[in-house]
Amino acid sequence: MARGRYAPSPSGRLHLGNARTALLAWLAARAGGDAFVMRIEDLDPQRSRPEHERAILEDLRWLGLDWDEGPDVGGPHGPYRQSERFDLYAAALERLDTYPCTCTRREIREAVRAPHGATPVYPGSCRDKVGNPEREPAIRVRVPRGSRVEFTDAIAGPQAERLDEEVGDFVLRRNDDAWAYQLAVVVDDAAMGVEQVVRGADLLESTARQIWLFEALGAPVPSFAHVPLLVGADGEKLNKRHGATDLGQVRDAGVDPRRVVAALARSWGWEGSTRDCITPRELLEGFALESIEREPGRVALEALLAEPAPLDPP
Ligand code: GLU
Ligand code: ZN
């Protein structure tokens, strides 16, 4: 049993790298015949747009993915937009040991003498004092001394973090009242019964904090798989030089979605066949998340965009 999910932020069009992660998350859930949940992570009102949400869902459907629960199909664990779940985050906050913090970034940096650019470990300045009453406080959760999280990522392998030393008390609600991703994602994954989290490698560093929060809230901890990012055929981070990197642009260029799926699957080492076209469903046979390549996946975008869709071999 491994109920899975994909949780896009509707701040723009879906990138090919996002599509690859979504496809892997879908395959990991569907390979075991399990449910797949779509959740829209629109915590940031400035960057989230309903038209982006619509485009993302449409692009994912175009690619051949489907979901059992989501903002457009409903389900028993809704609502499926984070902007509609604030009362759940507030209820979770009540159950945690938190305190208000009025430190500015600069004060924190100066207190710990962190080099510019590095994320400093919060030194706990507001733990035992009344904060500056003139400032709107952020809310931090108290991370006790010796807090250590260990887990084994299905792709990245064994991980360990001393939360108190490497992160410190972290923010659950920002001083502009926005809920922190770390809290929202845990509350939602717990409430939605997510058993397996498959997402981009950039979120590996958030995972220890999240596992710690699952435990603090008494919720079962899902398994984690952080998939490597997608790069161009030259090994460089995908950018405009490589051509169209948005799924929407690829789609507008008239590329067959099955060619996109085949190119993405090749990027994680799929050797099922020499076929140029395949559907997500066809990829399910023999799929094993653990056996995808650990290195960044390479995609020959130029080739994908340049060639007309060939006919399927007989
Ligand atoms: N909303 C996050 C993103 O789009 C993903 C969060 C997650 O999968 O935990 O990057
Ligand atoms: Zn503070």
Side-chain angles (χ1 to χ4, degrees):
M1 268 264 291
R3 215 172 128 79
R5 49 76 155 180
Y6 184 60
S9 304
S11 51
R13 216 51 201 262
L14 215 57
H15 189 270
L16 268 177
N18 307 135
R20 180 184 193 263
T21 303
L23 180 56
L24 283 166
W26 183 92
L27 287 166
R30 297 302 198 205
D34 289 299
F36 192 57
V37 177
M38 188 63 62
R39 179 173 73 235
I40 297 297
E41 303 213 316
D42 55 351
L43 284 178
D44 185 341
Q46 250 83 57
R47 300 181 57 213
S48 305
R49 298 267 149 74
E51 60 269 30
H52 290 143
E53 174 187 317
R54 268 196 304 279
I56 287 170
L57 298 184
E58 242 182 72
D59 287 349
L60 291 172
R61 281 225 167 73
W62 172 79
L63 203 62
L65 305 189
D66 63 352
W67 42 95
D68 309 280
E69 300 172 32
D72 54 341
V73 295
H77 307 285
Y80 293 93
R81 278 184 203 98
Q82 290 190 325
S83 60
E84 296 166 15
R85 301 177 62 82
F86 290 177
D87 49 340
L88 287 152
Y89 310 146
L93 192 74
E94 287 298 308
R95 298 174 48 210
L96 296 164
D97 183 8
T98 63
Y99 61 90
C101 163
T102 53
C103 298
T104 61
R105 272 173 215 269
R106 178 162 170 189
E107 284 167 351
I108 296 171
R109 195 173 299 116
E110 283 171 359
V112 298
R113 299 173 184 278
H116 212 84
T119 308
V121 175
Y122 180 66
S125 326
C126 297
R127 263 191 170 192
D128 305 306
K129 73 161 208 245
V130 184
N132 183 335
E134 260 134 59
R135 295 186 195 148
E136 215 30 67
I139 305 294
R140 288 185 186 270
V141 67
R142 210 181 289 267
V143 176
R145 272 209 73 70
S147 296
R148 184 182 149 86
V149 175
E150 272 184 56
F151 66 101
T152 300
D153 188 274
I155 311 275
Q159 312 287 321
E161 188 169 275
R162 262 298 289 270
L163 264 195
D164 54 329
E165 288 175 353
E166 295 174 58
V167 178
D169 300 345
F170 55 99
V171 172
L172 300 183
R173 206 181 71 203
R174 298 196 323 219
N175 65 358
D176 62 359
D177 276 353
W179 291 103
Y181 155 72
Q182 307 294 357
L183 178 67
V185 78
V186 168
V187 169
D188 291 346
D189 282 337
M192 294 177 183
V194 170
E195 294 160 322
Q196 167 176 252
V197 172
V198 178
R199 61 185 177 190
D202 54 323
L203 290 167
L204 183 61
E205 57 166 31
S206 289
T207 308
R209 264 170 283 176
Q210 293 173 12
I211 289 175
W212 187 84
L213 279 176
F214 275 108
E215 285 171 350
L217 290 167
V221 181
S223 67
F224 289 91
H226 288 86
V227 304
L229 67 163
L230 186 65
V231 296
D234 55 1
E236 300 285 319
K237 192 169 185 281
L238 268 189
N239 63 38
K240 297 224 160 51
R241 267 187 309 106
H242 292 103
T245 55
D246 278 2
L247 207 53
Q249 291 171 294
V250 174
R251 205 177 147 180
D252 293 344
V255 180
D256 186 324
R258 298 170 307 162
R259 292 193 71 212
V260 180
V261 172
L264 293 176
R266 263 196 296 277
S267 81
W268 68 67
W270 167 67
E271 295 154 15
S273 75
T274 51
R275 290 171 64 177
D276 277 318
C277 289
I278 194 157
T279 65
R281 263 194 199 285
E282 289 168 321
L283 272 180
L284 278 176
E285 204 187 312
F287 177 79
L289 185 64
E290 298 71 30
S291 51
I292 71 163
E293 258 172 43
R294 291 341 190 220
E295 296 299 307
R298 295 184 184 226
V299 66
L301 250 187
E302 301 85 345
L304 182 66
L305 292 162
E307 288 162 27
L311 292 174
D312 255 342

